[in-house]
Amino acid sequence: MRFPAGLVDSGLVLVALAGLLGGGAAWLAGRAELAPLAWTAGTLPVLLALLWQIAVTLRRGEVGLDVVAALAMGSALLLGETLAGNVVALMHAGGQLLEQVAERRARRDLTALLGRVARTAMRHGPAGLTEVDIDMLLPGDRILVRQGEVLPVDGRVQHGSATIDTSALTGEPLPRQMDGGSEVLSGTVSMGPPFDLLVLRPASASAYAGVVRLVEAAHRARAPAARLADRWAMGFSALTVALALVAWRWSGDPVRALAVLVVATPGPLILAVPVAIISGISRAARLGVLVKGGEALEALGRARIAILDKTGTLTLGRAELAATEAAPGFDPDEILRLAASLDQASTHVLAATLLEAARARGLTLSEPEAVIEEIGAGLAGRVGGHDVVLGGDRFVRARITGMPPRPDDGDALIQVGIDGRHAGLLRLQDPLHPDAAGLLARLRKVGFTRILLVTGDRADVARAVAAGLPLDEVRAELSPADKVALVLEERRAGPVLMVGDGVNDAPALAAADVGVAMGARGGAASAESADIVVLVDRLDRLADAVEVAHGTARIALQSVVAGLGLSVAGMLVAALGYLPPVAGALFQEAIDVAVILNALRALRL
């Protein structure tokens, strides 16, 4: 039977405390000969548990500062300094328990996500409302969402409006008003009157299911006690043992060596680094960013080269009607009305864009007739007594007269012909994200020396998007393999951050030192390949995550340097004979508490 780590640590603290108090009571009662037995009994269980832990880590090929703690307790018992050994045992067990408490506090914002998963939903059916398991919901089902309920699946608001608290996914403090037809994500909460939700995706493919999977992956990741501690532990352990031997040889008193070992136990490296990193991961989660482990956060803090995908990262990732340009004799609104009316019969992805634009202008659409569509090229038909054709240059030019050359300005264009004449064009754009310039400025501020924009789109489109942005280079018309090659090329100059959102970005995200996916959509390949996932397509949250990573690394280093500096100073004082073992143990515990409290500052970054 395996007991939880927190329960074991609590038990060891109680054993060590009982031994310390028992020995003290015996000494006060005039039974001084019993005190060493009680202090030994309070030390041995902690020492045995520590030796087992050391054996486990040695089998993994790892050596840590726990060896110093074991040497201190073992030496104390051998030298008859049982009180010092019991104090060290209590401080070590207490430090381990304190670390567990600090980690639990830091993980609170991650684990809170898991408790919000809805299990059932009220589905409309022929027999009325029926409560069903969320795994039974299918796209097209209609469910009732009541006030205070967590949305179980991704869906679209039906009729009227809904008041939604999105803080669990986006960090937005205020609820949002979502009109009918708006898409809402699972894991958010209804704060207003009940409303009907049209299911868009099964529960297993919903946004919140993806979030939960990523949280669970973060919990399963290697404990980030992390590489900073691993790099310094051996050196500090060697310094401790060497100084203890020198003190013993110089003074001829083995208690001096014991005092040195006690002051170095258990060491800020064991406690400060993991607490700081877990605190940073927790803070990022509160900001709507999921980090899959401590190594990912460390890598984000080290990155100095950023490669940003265009579509869905620096741009919003959706087409919008930017302008309607009419030829002489034609009205722009009428061009849009006829084009949108014809597009009612199309399944093309841009048809929805034109329909949305026409409805936003309050245009009345007509019924299309005799529609012929050439997939990917255009469509033609009759609308309100007019022959209408729209689509790409070649498709439209073959069916009308007088069509001018295509403008070469980087925008996506839909040509429109009416009654055999060129009527004008519809100019579409993927708008630049409003936070794009701010993101790039913040990346420069925290130390990124090179920022690249990459895209599989045309070069003219990429140049239009990049105009005016502080970018070092723009690379266009790249395949997924080209993006991977670019990442590997840039890695020669330093650690690379890759940011993307599409399936085609997944290989590059995996190849980078740290990959960031914009938006979690179920099992999307980009989210699975990335080390970090921004849960909504908000660029300011990416900048926040970078700043949290830098702040966490700074706090962890501060804790380690300050803690080790104080420990080394205490070890020197102990080596000179001015700090006995018991006082040294208390001094080290004060250091440990200080570095843990400092590491927890990462929660407020």
Side-chain angles (χ1 to χ4, degrees):
M1 181 177 179
R2 184 172 181 175
F3 296 99
L7 183 61
V8 172
D9 290 333
S10 299
L12 292 175
V13 168
L14 291 176
V15 168
L17 181 60
L20 189 63
L21 294 177
W27 186 81
L28 291 174
R31 301 294 303 274
E33 72 278 5
L34 297 180
L37 296 177
W39 291 330
T40 300
T43 305
L44 277 176
V46 179
L47 177 58
L48 292 174
L50 183 55
L51 291 174
W52 173 259
Q53 182 180 336
I54 292 172
V56 171
T57 57
L58 285 175
R59 282 201 297 268
R60 295 199 301 260
E62 300 172 6
V63 179
L65 289 171
D66 287 334
V67 172
V68 177
L71 284 174
M73 281 183 268
S75 300
L77 295 180
L78 289 174
L79 294 174
E81 294 285 341
T82 53
L83 176 57
N86 198 166
V87 172
V88 172
L90 178 59
M91 296 308 175
H92 177 77
Q96 296 294 311
L97 182 60
L98 184 59
E99 181 185 6
Q100 289 286 336
V101 172
E103 287 192 13
R104 282 198 296 271
R105 177 188 169 186
R107 288 186 186 274
R108 180 176 55 201
D109 296 294
L110 286 176
T111 55
L113 289 170
L114 296 173
R116 295 170 54 88
V117 181
R119 304 298 180 190
T120 61
M122 301 299 293
R123 183 173 62 185
H124 289 279
L129 284 170
T130 307
E131 186 172 10
V132 299
D133 189 273
I134 63 170
D135 292 331
M136 297 176 62
L137 296 177
L138 299 173
D141 285 347
R142 190 163 55 94
I143 64 174
L144 175 67
V145 180
R146 295 165 290 196
Q147 185 172 6
E149 285 188 334
V150 176
L151 274 62
V153 290
D154 300 344
R156 182 171 288 117
V157 177
Q158 294 288 96
H159 315 300
S161 63
T163 304
I164 303 296
D165 175 8
T166 64
S167 59
L169 292 183
T170 69
E172 289 285 356
L174 299 177
R176 297 176 59 190
Q177 193 72 22
M178 312 295 286
D179 296 327
S182 300
E183 183 174 340
V184 289
L185 299 179
S186 55
T188 57
V189 181
S190 172
M191 302 298 292
F195 67 94
D196 284 347
L197 182 74
L198 180 69
V199 177
L200 295 181
R201 283 174 283 275
S204 60
S206 68
Y208 204 71
V211 172
V212 171
R213 282 196 296 272
L214 295 176
V215 172
E216 291 172 339
H219 279 294
R220 290 194 301 268
R222 176 177 177 263
R227 295 155 52 177
L228 179 62
D230 295 340
R231 289 193 295 267
W232 288 24
M234 287 295 293
F236 185 74
S237 298
L239 174 64
T240 300
V241 173
L243 186 58
L245 292 175
V246 168
W248 186 2
R249 179 69 180 271
W250 178 62
S251 67
D253 183 2
V255 176
R256 293 268 189 103
L258 173 62
V260 172
L261 294 175
V262 165
V263 174
T265 307
L269 279 174
I270 297 177
L271 304 173
V273 179
V275 171
I277 290 180
I278 293 171
S279 297
I281 292 173
S282 177
R283 178 57 180 158
R286 291 178 62 187
L287 294 170
V289 180
L290 278 177
V291 181
K292 301 178 184 178
E295 291 189 13
L297 193 70
E298 285 192 58
L300 183 60
R302 293 196 310 270
R304 292 295 178 267
I305 300 171
I307 300 177
L308 309 176
D309 181 58
K310 177 183 74 69
T311 305
T313 301
L314 285 189
T315 67
L316 295 179
R318 62 175 184 269
E320 292 184 358
L321 180 64
T324 303
E325 300 178 6
F330 289 92
D331 176 67
D333 281 351
E334 182 64 7
I335 292 173
L336 176 58
R337 189 189 75 83
L338 292 176
S341 296
L342 184 60
D343 254 340
Q344 292 177 105
S346 175
T347 59
H348 194 278
V349 65
L350 295 180
T353 300
L354 297 190
L355 290 170
E356 181 180 345
R359 288 167 180 155
R361 295 189 190 181
L363 303 179
T364 302
L365 303 184
S366 302
E367 189 79 18
E369 301 173 348
V371 178
I372 299 174
E373 181 171 12
E374 187 176 313
I375 302 298
L379 69 162
R382 192 161 180 80
V383 179
H386 297 280
D387 291 323
V388 181
V389 57
L390 69 152
D393 283 35
R394 183 178 300 177
F395 182 86
V396 175
R397 192 182 300 276
R399 290 162 176 79
I400 64 170
T401 59
M403 182 170 159
R406 172 193 172 90
D408 187 16
D409 51 17
D411 289 343
L413 305 177
I414 298 177
Q415 302 285 359
V416 182
I418 300 175
D419 295 329
R421 298 168 53 201
H422 182 250
L425 57 86
L426 304 170
R427 189 178 294 275
L428 303 178
Q429 291 179 342
D430 180 7
L432 187 68
H433 199 291
D435 294 331
L439 167 69
L440 299 180
R442 290 175 70 182
L443 291 180
R444 294 287 190 193
K445 186 176 179 180
V446 297
F448 279 82
T449 57
R450 181 167 165 79
I451 304 176
L452 298 84
L453 175 68
V454 300
T455 180
D457 212 338
R458 303 194 317 270
D460 56 345
V461 176
R463 286 194 299 270
V465 169
L469 294 177
L471 295 163
D472 294 295
E473 190 175 348
V474 178
R475 301 283 289 271
E477 301 179 21
L478 299 183
S479 67
D482 293 333
K483 292 181 181 180
V484 171
L486 178 62
V487 167
L488 297 178
E489 176 186 335
E490 293 293 333
R491 286 186 67 183
R492 298 172 186 167
V496 171
L497 162 69
M498 173 70 196
V499 186
D501 76 322
V503 173
N504 62 333
D505 298 321
L509 293 175
D513 293 277
V514 57
V516 177
M518 298 298 298
R521 288 285 183 173
S526 59
E528 297 293 338
S529 300
D531 305 294
I532 297 171
V533 180
V534 181
L535 300 180
V536 289
D537 293 332
R538 287 187 48 172
L539 290 184
D540 59 335
R541 295 304 162 86
L542 171 58
D544 290 341
V546 173
E547 292 181 357
V548 165
H550 281 262
T552 299
R554 183 174 62 253
I555 288 172
L557 188 60
Q558 287 171 354
S559 297
V560 168
V561 171
L564 290 186
L566 290 171
S567 294
V568 171
M571 290 158 58
L572 292 173
V573 173
L576 294 173
Y578 297 111
L579 194 64
V582 174
L586 294 174
F587 175 69
Q588 181 59 57
E589 182 63 14
I591 295 174
D592 295 337
V593 172
V595 298
I596 286 177
L597 292 177
N598 185 64
L600 285 173
R601 289 193 301 117
L603 287 170
R604 300 193 300 272
L605 287 170

